[in-house]
């Protein structure tokens, strides 16, 4: 099954509070905040709507060391005099699971950014819909594109090389186009796992398309695709 990766950006801002005493000599009291964003495939900052909440686990000296925010950018605002490492648990939408990340709160700069890559393994269709709003997912949008003509070779010659004469290649190409979204994701993964160096595939991330030339795939994979489509496409 596929994996979908997303880039998460944490933005930390801090400043000294001149009229407040921290109670610790040499350590001025500071106000600080952390906000959470996503980066899309173009590197642009977008709201992190794939998460339904963010839970900050602060140093135990805080009166409220565990704080949860349920609206992007999930900003926390606090005051303190010390630096510390914290855990931030991002809870994905549509019951997509929890994803903890570590964050270093420090006062070296008034503003700094930290990048994290989160991998979503085997996301369910409902969560894939949320992921789609922030960028492409494998096999999404326009689905699997299957060239009817062979890439870089004579189609007729390749047809003759097919070991299983019971497989109708045109019918297979047609059935692939009829698959539902979650089935298409399985097909993409099946091709990735079983293709050979001679196989022609192209993953067009920007367009959300996955291209494959059936006539360059090994017979064993063609048989797998044929059996899969026969059981998942209504006749």
């Amino acid at each position: 099954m596929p994996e979908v990766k997303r880039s998460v950006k944490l933005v930390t801002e801090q400043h000294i509070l001149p009229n407040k005493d921290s109670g610790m000599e040499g350590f001025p009291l500071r106000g600080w905040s952390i906000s959470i964003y996503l980066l899309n495939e173009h590197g642009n900052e977008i709201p992190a709507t794939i998460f339904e909440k963010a839970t900050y686990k602060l140093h135990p000296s805080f009166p409220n060391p565990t704080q949860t925010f349920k609206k992007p950018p999930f900003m926390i605002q606090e005051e303190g005099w010390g630096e510390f490492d914290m855990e931030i648990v991002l809870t994905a939408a549509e019951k997509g699971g929890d994803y903890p990340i570590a964050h270093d709160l420090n006062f070296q700069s008034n503003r700094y950014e930290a990048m994290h890559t989160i991998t979503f393994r085997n996301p369910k269709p409902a969560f894939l819909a949320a992921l789609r709003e922030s960028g492409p997912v494998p096999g999404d949008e326009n689905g699997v594109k299957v060239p009817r003509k062979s890439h870089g070779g004579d189609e007729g010659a390749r047809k003759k090389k097919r070991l299983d004469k019971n497989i109708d290649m045109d019918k297979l190409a047609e059935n692939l186009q009829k698959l539902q979204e979650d089935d298409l994701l399985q097909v993409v993964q099946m091709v990735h796992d079983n293709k050979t160096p001679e196989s022609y595939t192209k993953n067009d991330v920007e367009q959300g398309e996955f291209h494959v030339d059936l006539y360059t795939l090994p017979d064993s994979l063609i048989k797998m695709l044929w059996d899969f489509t026969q059981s998942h496409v209504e006749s």
Side-chain angles (χ1 to χ4, degrees):
M1 293 293 289
E3 295 182 349
V4 180
K5 297 181 183 293
R6 288 293 181 265
S7 295
V8 174
K9 181 168 76 172
L10 306 183
V11 179
T12 303
E13 296 183 272
Q14 64 87 20
H15 61 279
I16 294 176
L17 301 174
N19 299 320
K20 289 188 176 183
D21 182 12
S22 69
M24 295 292 293
E25 186 177 353
F27 294 91
L29 189 67
R30 299 171 185 265
W32 56 263
S33 67
I34 302 172
S35 301
I36 301 172
Y37 303 93
L38 284 184
L39 296 183
N40 62 18
E41 67 270 30
H42 305 298
N44 298 323
E45 189 177 288
I46 60 175
T49 54
I50 62 172
F51 302 112
E52 65 178 22
K53 64 181 179 180
T55 302
Y56 295 83
K57 298 183 178 181
L58 309 180
H59 191 275
S61 60
F62 279 80
N64 184 16
T66 301
Q67 301 185 30
T68 300
F69 299 87
K70 297 184 177 181
K71 183 178 179 180
F74 309 108
M75 177 187 286
I76 183 173
Q77 294 177 299
E78 271 291 352
E79 296 179 0
W81 57 266
E83 303 174 334
F84 61 94
D85 294 330
M86 73 177 73
E87 182 182 64
I88 304 173
V89 180
L90 302 176
T91 301
E94 303 293 342
K95 300 180 180 180
D98 290 337
Y99 299 85
I101 56 178
H103 183 59
D104 170 29
L105 176 69
N106 66 74
F107 303 142
Q108 304 304 309
S109 302
N110 289 336
R111 184 184 189 279
Y112 62 95
E113 300 176 354
M115 301 297 302
H116 298 268
T117 298
I118 295 182
T119 300
F120 302 97
R121 294 181 173 84
N122 305 326
K124 296 181 179 180
F127 186 44
L128 277 175
L131 286 169
R132 187 184 303 112
E133 296 179 3
S134 60
V137 300
D140 197 20
E141 292 188 9
N142 298 317
V144 177
K145 297 297 182 180
V146 184
R148 293 307 182 98
K149 292 185 178 181
S150 178
H151 177 86
D154 179 72
E155 183 177 353
R158 292 180 183 272
K159 282 186 177 180
K160 292 179 182 179
K161 292 181 181 180
R162 274 297 151 215
L163 297 178
D164 194 335
K165 305 300 182 182
N166 295 321
I167 295 179
D168 185 331
M169 298 295 284
D170 288 333
K171 183 66 174 178
L172 174 58
E174 181 181 339
N175 285 343
L176 285 170
Q177 302 288 357
K178 294 179 180 179
L179 290 174
Q180 298 299 313
E181 179 180 279
D182 52 344
D183 293 332
L184 282 173
L185 292 173
Q186 294 186 52
V187 165
V188 172
Q189 191 64 41
M190 200 180 300
V191 172
H192 276 305
D193 291 344
N194 296 277
K195 66 181 180 179
T196 65
E198 292 76 26
S199 301
Y200 171 77
T201 62
K202 179 183 177 183
N203 193 9
D204 191 337
V205 175
E206 186 170 337
Q207 295 298 320
E209 297 180 353
F210 180 76
H211 302 257
V212 56
D213 183 349
L214 295 177
Y215 290 103
T216 65
L217 302 182
D219 289 282
S220 57
L221 178 54
I222 288 294
K223 182 65 164 58
M224 292 171 61
L225 295 176
W226 176 258
D227 292 341
F228 184 85
T229 56
Q230 289 296 296
S231 61
H232 287 74
V233 174
E234 295 182 2
S235 56

